Amino acid sequence: MIRSTIICFLIFIAAITTNAQNKIINPGAIWPDDRGNHVQAHGGGIIKIKDTYYWYGEERAQGLDPKFRYVSCYSSKDLTNWKFKGDVVKMSDPENLGDGWILERPKVYYNKSTRKYVMYFHLDTRNYQYARVGIAVSDKPDGNYTFVKSFRPLDHQSRDIGQFIDDDGTAYLIFEDRALGFHIVKLADDYMSVAKEMSLVHMPLEGGAVVHYNGLYYAIGSSLTGWDPNPNKYATATSLEGPWSEFKDIAPPETKTYHSQSTMMLKVVGTKTTTVIFMADQWKPNAQWDSRYLWMPLEIGDGKLWLNEPKPWSIDVKTGEHKFVADTNK
Ligand code: DGJ
């Protein structure tokens, strides 16, 4: 009797320690998932399916088999607590790219007509000269995803990619093309190829992201400085086809975007208001598994976009409201 009581007590303690709820989003901190491990979803992107958010990114945990590249998937109902759904891609070199081949910045789109989840990612050789997008497909959001093909969108070099889904559901890919700038292209109806160029913005930016807010498109990106942070910039346009305004800093330039690099802007439309979240990576190139996430609600509207100094905050995804709070995860 005493033995079983002790066992029950230990199980209870284990359950409350592993399922501790995060109450806040704390930019730059360790973000424990439902297992208590730091979230591994670097260079990532988020889609919402019904009331569930899925976050995909580069899995860079220590001890992975170096032959493979991994994409992780996490799910959440509140954007604050993330359940690890597994590595939905575990891929060996698909096209004889050689040692150090690269799979970065995965983004997933759900195609309503084919009912397929279509993942785009940057596929490259170690020296970043292959410069293509890869596509992998799944029947379910949480995989597994099967590699289909790679290509250069509209025959252009493509390195960092970003994802944008407009309010009418149209899916766009953003990709960086060193010599020319960055492209915003519309995906074909089945999302398995690129249909049309919307804009070629003559600005050398990577980590590209777009949001449509109150009738205006805002595009952001970072300069081409490898893993090192730099002052990210934004421009606006009334149409995805441009013309785009001049680029301006999104934060005090000396902070180098608070040591981060953009990966996506996520619009949370609630019953009371809308919050646009700046999602960025704080890379640690020599300890990638410990790279952190800087997510912050943006000040946005009337053609202006501004990232305030990061601090803990919380969001109510139902109402769309956010507020700044004390660090109550501790
Ligand atoms: C900057 C990109 O944004 C990252 O995804 C990564 O490709 C690094 N360059 C590599 O230097």
mmCIF file of all heavy atoms in Angstrom, residues 43 105 160 206-208 221-230 232 256-264 278-283 294:
data_model
loop_
_atom_site.group_PDB
_atom_site.id
_atom_site.type_symbol
_atom_site.label_atom_id
_atom_site.label_comp_id
_atom_site.label_asym_id
_atom_site.label_seq_id
_atom_site.Cartn_x
_atom_site.Cartn_y
_atom_site.Cartn_z
ATOM 1 N N GLY A 43 14.758 28.837 -38.189
ATOM 2 C CA GLY A 43 14.448 29.307 -39.547
ATOM 3 C C GLY A 43 13.057 28.872 -39.970
ATOM 4 O O GLY A 43 12.808 28.579 -41.134
ATOM 5 N N ARG A 105 15.348 26.440 -43.578
ATOM 6 C CA ARG A 105 14.147 27.290 -43.623
ATOM 7 C C ARG A 105 12.903 26.604 -44.205
ATOM 8 O O ARG A 105 12.276 27.118 -45.149
ATOM 9 C CB ARG A 105 14.449 28.592 -44.385
ATOM 10 C CG ARG A 105 15.506 29.407 -43.678
ATOM 11 C CD ARG A 105 15.745 30.753 -44.312
ATOM 12 N NE ARG A 105 16.685 31.483 -43.464
ATOM 13 C CZ ARG A 105 16.334 32.334 -42.522
ATOM 14 N NH1 ARG A 105 15.071 32.603 -42.294
ATOM 15 N NH2 ARG A 105 17.244 32.925 -41.783
ATOM 16 N N ASP A 160 17.625 31.733 -49.088
ATOM 17 C CA ASP A 160 16.589 31.816 -48.034
ATOM 18 C C ASP A 160 15.204 31.893 -48.650
ATOM 19 O O ASP A 160 14.984 32.673 -49.589
ATOM 20 C CB ASP A 160 16.783 33.078 -47.193
ATOM 21 C CG ASP A 160 17.829 32.906 -46.123
ATOM 22 O OD1 ASP A 160 18.551 31.893 -46.144
ATOM 23 O OD2 ASP A 160 17.930 33.798 -45.269
ATOM 24 N N GLU A 206 17.624 38.716 -47.224
ATOM 25 C CA GLU A 206 17.253 37.321 -46.976
ATOM 26 C C GLU A 206 16.370 37.260 -45.719
ATOM 27 O O GLU A 206 16.015 38.290 -45.163
ATOM 28 C CB GLU A 206 18.500 36.442 -46.858
ATOM 29 C CG GLU A 206 19.482 36.854 -45.811
ATOM 30 C CD GLU A 206 20.767 36.028 -45.866
ATOM 31 O OE1 GLU A 206 20.998 35.311 -46.842
ATOM 32 O OE2 GLU A 206 21.531 36.132 -44.895
ATOM 33 N N GLY A 207 15.988 36.051 -45.308
ATOM 34 C CA GLY A 207 15.062 35.938 -44.166
ATOM 35 C C GLY A 207 13.770 36.685 -44.478
ATOM 36 O O GLY A 207 13.142 37.266 -43.591
ATOM 37 N N GLY A 208 13.358 36.665 -45.740
ATOM 38 C CA GLY A 208 12.224 37.495 -46.182
ATOM 39 C C GLY A 208 10.885 37.060 -45.587
ATOM 40 O O GLY A 208 10.630 35.871 -45.414
ATOM 41 N N GLY A 221 13.135 41.939 -44.197
ATOM 42 C CA GLY A 221 14.236 41.008 -44.452
ATOM 43 C C GLY A 221 15.505 41.528 -43.808
ATOM 44 O O GLY A 221 15.538 42.633 -43.249
ATOM 45 N N SER A 222 16.530 40.683 -43.883
ATOM 46 C CA SER A 222 17.810 41.047 -43.277
ATOM 47 C C SER A 222 18.867 41.131 -44.377
ATOM 48 O O SER A 222 18.725 40.514 -45.438
ATOM 49 C CB SER A 222 18.223 39.996 -42.252
ATOM 50 O OG SER A 222 18.744 38.861 -42.913
ATOM 51 N N SER A 223 19.941 41.861 -44.107
ATOM 52 C CA SER A 223 21.037 41.948 -45.083
ATOM 53 C C SER A 223 21.783 40.618 -45.145
ATOM 54 O O SER A 223 21.596 39.747 -44.289
ATOM 55 C CB SER A 223 22.010 43.049 -44.692
ATOM 56 O OG SER A 223 21.307 44.238 -44.511
ATOM 57 N N LEU A 224 22.646 40.491 -46.138
ATOM 58 C CA LEU A 224 23.314 39.209 -46.382
ATOM 59 C C LEU A 224 24.613 39.121 -45.575
ATOM 60 O O LEU A 224 25.704 39.328 -46.106
ATOM 61 C CB LEU A 224 23.617 39.065 -47.872
ATOM 62 C CG LEU A 224 22.482 39.401 -48.849
ATOM 63 C CD1 LEU A 224 22.935 39.179 -50.284
ATOM 64 C CD2 LEU A 224 21.251 38.573 -48.559
ATOM 65 N N THR A 225 24.486 38.820 -44.290
ATOM 66 C CA THR A 225 25.692 38.751 -43.446
ATOM 67 C C THR A 225 25.851 37.366 -42.816
ATOM 68 O O THR A 225 26.323 37.248 -41.685
ATOM 69 C CB THR A 225 25.661 39.844 -42.351
ATOM 70 O OG1 THR A 225 24.462 39.690 -41.573
ATOM 71 C CG2 THR A 225 25.703 41.241 -42.928
ATOM 72 N N GLY A 226 25.443 36.338 -43.545
ATOM 73 C CA GLY A 226 25.616 34.978 -43.019
ATOM 74 C C GLY A 226 24.802 34.776 -41.754
ATOM 75 O O GLY A 226 23.626 35.119 -41.696
ATOM 76 N N TRP A 227 25.439 34.217 -40.733
ATOM 77 C CA TRP A 227 24.726 33.978 -39.471
ATOM 78 C C TRP A 227 24.719 35.219 -38.579
ATOM 79 O O TRP A 227 24.070 35.236 -37.534
ATOM 80 C CB TRP A 227 25.386 32.838 -38.678
ATOM 81 C CG TRP A 227 25.386 31.514 -39.368
ATOM 82 C CD1 TRP A 227 26.478 30.846 -39.843
ATOM 83 C CD2 TRP A 227 24.250 30.672 -39.649
ATOM 84 N NE1 TRP A 227 26.087 29.654 -40.409
ATOM 85 C CE2 TRP A 227 24.732 29.526 -40.301
ATOM 86 C CE3 TRP A 227 22.878 30.790 -39.421
ATOM 87 C CZ2 TRP A 227 23.895 28.487 -40.724
ATOM 88 C CZ3 TRP A 227 22.043 29.771 -39.831
ATOM 89 C CH2 TRP A 227 22.553 28.636 -40.477
ATOM 90 N N ASP A 228 25.494 36.241 -38.979
ATOM 91 C CA ASP A 228 25.621 37.414 -38.093
ATOM 92 C C ASP A 228 24.419 38.333 -38.234
ATOM 93 O O ASP A 228 23.970 38.599 -39.346
ATOM 94 C CB ASP A 228 26.887 38.204 -38.431
ATOM 95 C CG ASP A 228 28.132 37.393 -38.171
ATOM 96 O OD1 ASP A 228 28.075 36.487 -37.320
ATOM 97 O OD2 ASP A 228 29.157 37.650 -38.836
ATOM 98 N N PRO A 229 23.933 38.838 -37.125
ATOM 99 C CA PRO A 229 22.759 39.715 -37.200
ATOM 100 C C PRO A 229 23.093 41.069 -37.820
ATOM 101 O O PRO A 229 24.247 41.497 -37.827
ATOM 102 C CB PRO A 229 22.338 39.873 -35.740
ATOM 103 C CG PRO A 229 23.562 39.610 -34.946
ATOM 104 C CD PRO A 229 24.395 38.639 -35.741
ATOM 105 N N ASN A 230 22.067 41.718 -38.321
ATOM 106 C CA ASN A 230 22.232 43.047 -38.928
ATOM 107 C C ASN A 230 20.898 43.776 -38.784
ATOM 108 O O ASN A 230 19.907 43.164 -38.387
ATOM 109 C CB ASN A 230 22.642 42.905 -40.405
ATOM 110 C CG ASN A 230 21.646 42.049 -41.160
ATOM 111 O OD1 ASN A 230 20.467 42.395 -41.284
ATOM 112 N ND2 ASN A 230 22.095 40.894 -41.651
ATOM 113 N N ASN A 232 17.559 44.630 -39.647
ATOM 114 C CA ASN A 232 16.521 44.192 -40.603
ATOM 115 C C ASN A 232 15.720 45.410 -41.053
ATOM 116 O O ASN A 232 15.597 46.393 -40.315
ATOM 117 C CB ASN A 232 15.596 43.163 -39.960
ATOM 118 C CG ASN A 232 16.282 41.818 -39.684
ATOM 119 O OD1 ASN A 232 15.635 40.836 -39.377
ATOM 120 N ND2 ASN A 232 17.598 41.767 -39.770
ATOM 121 N N LYS A 256 21.154 45.707 -34.058
ATOM 122 C CA LYS A 256 21.143 44.621 -35.059
ATOM 123 C C LYS A 256 19.909 43.736 -34.880
ATOM 124 O O LYS A 256 20.007 42.517 -34.723
ATOM 125 C CB LYS A 256 22.428 43.817 -34.982
ATOM 126 C CG LYS A 256 23.649 44.679 -35.293
ATOM 127 C CD LYS A 256 24.888 43.855 -35.438
ATOM 128 C CE LYS A 256 26.046 44.762 -35.873
ATOM 129 N NZ LYS A 256 27.333 44.123 -35.822
ATOM 130 N N THR A 257 18.768 44.428 -34.843
ATOM 131 C CA THR A 257 17.465 43.741 -34.683
ATOM 132 C C THR A 257 17.457 42.918 -33.389
ATOM 133 O O THR A 257 16.963 41.794 -33.343
ATOM 134 C CB THR A 257 17.137 42.861 -35.913
ATOM 135 O OG1 THR A 257 17.608 43.528 -37.100
ATOM 136 C CG2 THR A 257 15.654 42.623 -36.059
ATOM 137 N N TYR A 258 18.053 43.521 -32.361
ATOM 138 C CA TYR A 258 18.168 42.831 -31.072
ATOM 139 C C TYR A 258 18.787 41.449 -31.267
ATOM 140 O O TYR A 258 18.305 40.442 -30.743
ATOM 141 C CB TYR A 258 16.827 42.770 -30.337
ATOM 142 C CG TYR A 258 16.274 44.149 -30.069
ATOM 143 C CD1 TYR A 258 15.247 44.674 -30.850
ATOM 144 C CD2 TYR A 258 16.817 44.956 -29.089
ATOM 145 C CE1 TYR A 258 14.765 45.956 -30.646
ATOM 146 C CE2 TYR A 258 16.340 46.249 -28.869
ATOM 147 C CZ TYR A 258 15.321 46.728 -29.653
ATOM 148 O OH TYR A 258 14.852 48.017 -29.445
ATOM 149 N N HIS A 259 19.832 41.473 -32.087
ATOM 150 C CA HIS A 259 20.635 40.258 -32.314
ATOM 151 C C HIS A 259 19.795 39.139 -32.944
ATOM 152 O O HIS A 259 19.917 37.967 -32.547
ATOM 153 C CB HIS A 259 21.250 39.786 -30.995
ATOM 154 C CG HIS A 259 22.522 39.039 -31.212
ATOM 155 N ND1 HIS A 259 23.748 39.660 -31.260
ATOM 156 C CD2 HIS A 259 22.766 37.731 -31.431
ATOM 157 C CE1 HIS A 259 24.682 38.750 -31.486
ATOM 158 N NE2 HIS A 259 24.112 37.570 -31.594
ATOM 159 N N SER A 260 18.967 39.479 -33.902
ATOM 160 C CA SER A 260 18.114 38.431 -34.473
ATOM 161 C C SER A 260 17.984 38.604 -35.982
ATOM 162 O O SER A 260 18.374 39.639 -36.538
ATOM 163 C CB SER A 260 16.728 38.464 -33.828
ATOM 164 O OG SER A 260 15.978 39.553 -34.325
ATOM 165 N N GLN A 261 17.397 37.592 -36.621
ATOM 166 C CA GLN A 261 17.150 37.621 -38.068
ATOM 167 C C GLN A 261 15.736 37.145 -38.344
ATOM 168 O O GLN A 261 15.327 36.065 -37.886
ATOM 169 C CB GLN A 261 18.150 36.710 -38.795
ATOM 170 C CG GLN A 261 17.974 36.752 -40.298
ATOM 171 C CD GLN A 261 18.788 35.697 -41.022
ATOM 172 O OE1 GLN A 261 19.160 34.687 -40.439
ATOM 173 N NE2 GLN A 261 19.038 35.917 -42.294
ATOM 174 N N SER A 262 15.018 37.902 -39.138
ATOM 175 C CA SER A 262 13.613 37.597 -39.432
ATOM 176 C C SER A 262 13.441 36.212 -40.054
ATOM 177 O O SER A 262 14.297 35.745 -40.810
ATOM 178 C CB SER A 262 13.076 38.643 -40.408
ATOM 179 O OG SER A 262 13.941 38.736 -41.533
ATOM 180 N N THR A 263 12.309 35.573 -39.764
ATOM 181 C CA THR A 263 11.946 34.351 -40.493
ATOM 182 C C THR A 263 10.487 34.385 -40.945
ATOM 183 O O THR A 263 10.148 33.790 -41.951
ATOM 184 C CB THR A 263 12.244 33.073 -39.689
ATOM 185 O OG1 THR A 263 12.012 31.936 -40.498
ATOM 186 C CG2 THR A 263 11.399 32.949 -38.433
ATOM 187 N N MET A 264 9.632 35.087 -40.209
ATOM 188 C CA MET A 264 8.212 35.149 -40.602
ATOM 189 C C MET A 264 7.516 36.261 -39.820
ATOM 190 O O MET A 264 7.973 36.642 -38.738
ATOM 191 C CB MET A 264 7.533 33.807 -40.286
ATOM 192 C CG MET A 264 6.047 33.786 -40.575
ATOM 193 S SD MET A 264 5.326 32.148 -40.409
ATOM 194 C CE MET A 264 5.211 31.667 -42.090
ATOM 195 N N PHE A 278 6.437 39.394 -34.938
ATOM 196 C CA PHE A 278 7.731 39.282 -35.609
ATOM 197 C C PHE A 278 8.400 38.028 -35.067
ATOM 198 O O PHE A 278 8.610 37.893 -33.869
ATOM 199 C CB PHE A 278 8.577 40.522 -35.295
ATOM 200 C CG PHE A 278 9.990 40.475 -35.804
ATOM 201 C CD1 PHE A 278 10.260 40.551 -37.159
ATOM 202 C CD2 PHE A 278 11.062 40.377 -34.921
ATOM 203 C CE1 PHE A 278 11.567 40.529 -37.624
ATOM 204 C CE2 PHE A 278 12.371 40.353 -35.386
ATOM 205 C CZ PHE A 278 12.629 40.425 -36.736
ATOM 206 N N MET A 279 8.685 37.072 -35.965
ATOM 207 C CA MET A 279 9.347 35.830 -35.555
ATOM 208 C C MET A 279 10.754 35.847 -36.121
ATOM 209 O O MET A 279 10.927 36.006 -37.338
ATOM 210 C CB MET A 279 8.603 34.619 -36.134
ATOM 211 C CG MET A 279 7.243 34.370 -35.530
ATOM 212 S SD MET A 279 6.346 33.090 -36.477
ATOM 213 C CE MET A 279 7.587 31.832 -36.659
ATOM 214 N N ALA A 280 11.727 35.669 -35.257
ATOM 215 C CA ALA A 280 13.116 35.744 -35.714
ATOM 216 C C ALA A 280 13.970 34.715 -34.984
ATOM 217 O O ALA A 280 13.587 34.195 -33.939
ATOM 218 C CB ALA A 280 13.659 37.147 -35.466
ATOM 219 N N ASP A 281 15.128 34.463 -35.577
ATOM 220 C CA ASP A 281 16.096 33.539 -34.977
ATOM 221 C C ASP A 281 17.249 34.333 -34.394
ATOM 222 O O ASP A 281 17.733 35.276 -35.019
ATOM 223 C CB ASP A 281 16.656 32.593 -36.043
ATOM 224 C CG ASP A 281 15.577 31.700 -36.604
ATOM 225 O OD1 ASP A 281 15.199 30.742 -35.915
ATOM 226 O OD2 ASP A 281 15.089 31.986 -37.721
ATOM 227 N N GLN A 282 17.687 33.915 -33.233
ATOM 228 C CA GLN A 282 18.949 34.420 -32.687
ATOM 229 C C GLN A 282 19.938 33.267 -32.847
ATOM 230 O O GLN A 282 19.961 32.346 -32.025
ATOM 231 C CB GLN A 282 18.790 34.826 -31.230
ATOM 232 C CG GLN A 282 17.859 36.020 -31.065
ATOM 233 C CD GLN A 282 17.768 36.492 -29.625
ATOM 234 O OE1 GLN A 282 17.591 35.692 -28.711
ATOM 235 N NE2 GLN A 282 17.866 37.794 -29.421
ATOM 236 N N TRP A 283 20.667 33.306 -33.938
ATOM 237 C CA TRP A 283 21.531 32.165 -34.284
ATOM 238 C C TRP A 283 22.750 32.081 -33.381
ATOM 239 O O TRP A 283 23.334 33.085 -33.001
ATOM 240 C CB TRP A 283 22.022 32.295 -35.729
ATOM 241 C CG TRP A 283 20.951 32.289 -36.772
ATOM 242 C CD1 TRP A 283 20.549 33.343 -37.542
ATOM 243 C CD2 TRP A 283 20.154 31.172 -37.194
ATOM 244 N NE1 TRP A 283 19.561 32.945 -38.408
ATOM 245 C CE2 TRP A 283 19.307 31.624 -38.224
ATOM 246 C CE3 TRP A 283 20.095 29.821 -36.805
ATOM 247 C CZ2 TRP A 283 18.395 30.782 -38.863
ATOM 248 C CZ3 TRP A 283 19.188 28.996 -37.433
ATOM 249 C CH2 TRP A 283 18.355 29.470 -38.445
ATOM 250 N N LEU A 294 13.350 34.978 -31.133
ATOM 251 C CA LEU A 294 12.877 36.291 -30.686
ATOM 252 C C LEU A 294 11.526 36.512 -31.354
ATOM 253 O O LEU A 294 11.465 36.727 -32.567
ATOM 254 C CB LEU A 294 13.881 37.371 -31.096
ATOM 255 C CG LEU A 294 13.646 38.773 -30.537
ATOM 256 C CD1 LEU A 294 14.911 39.594 -30.635
ATOM 257 C CD2 LEU A 294 12.511 39.496 -31.235
#
